[in-house]
């Protein structure tokens, strides 16, 4: 089975102002923050040396959350459905 890191059909360009663009694999996953769950597209990159292992973008937060940058970890553990 080929490695997902070699798959080019799901690659997208990740662009930030002032940085070179990068092509990264993209997967769709369910993301839950508090009581809000949405399907989101996530681009895969090695963030093991970063302070935050996952960044949540404005598309997920739009119309679903208010961000107070002076507070941290206010949602608590997510209420996930029972799975077996």
């Amino acid at each position: 089975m080929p490695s997902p890191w070699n798959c080019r059909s799901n690659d997208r360009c990740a662009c930030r102002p002032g940085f070179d663009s990068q092509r990264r694999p993209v997967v769709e996953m369910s993301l839950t923050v508090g009581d809000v769950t949405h399907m989101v597209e996530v681009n895969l990159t090695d963030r093991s040396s970063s302070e935050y292992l996952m960044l949540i973008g404005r598309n997920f937060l739009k119309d679903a959350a208010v961000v107070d940058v002076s507070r941290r970890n206010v949602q608590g553990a997510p209420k996930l459905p029972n799975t077996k």
Side-chain angles (χ1 to χ4, degrees):
M1 175 177 224
S3 167
W5 295 104
N6 295 328
C7 180
R8 295 291 175 217
S9 62
N10 291 332
D11 283 5
R12 304 267 172 77
C13 180
C15 301
R16 288 180 18 204
F19 292 87
D20 291 335
S21 65
Q22 300 175 336
R23 294 195 63 79
R24 300 182 194 146
V26 174
V27 297
E28 191 170 285
M29 63 179 277
S30 174
L31 177 64
T32 301
V33 176
D35 294 331
V36 177
T37 300
H38 289 294
M39 292 300 291
V40 295
E41 287 186 344
V42 177
N43 71 64
L44 303 177
T45 188
D46 181 5
R47 297 191 54 81
S48 61
S49 62
S50 301
E51 181 178 357
Y52 302 104
L53 297 180
M54 182 176 190
L55 300 178
I56 299 174
R58 64 181 158 260
N59 290 338
F60 175 83
L61 297 171
K62 181 180 64 175
D63 300 328
V66 175
V67 177
D68 182 347
V69 296
S70 69
R71 299 178 66 196
R72 294 181 66 136
N73 302 320
V74 296
Q75 283 295 324
K79 299 171 184 87
L80 301 176
N82 293 332
T83 58
K84 293 188 179 192

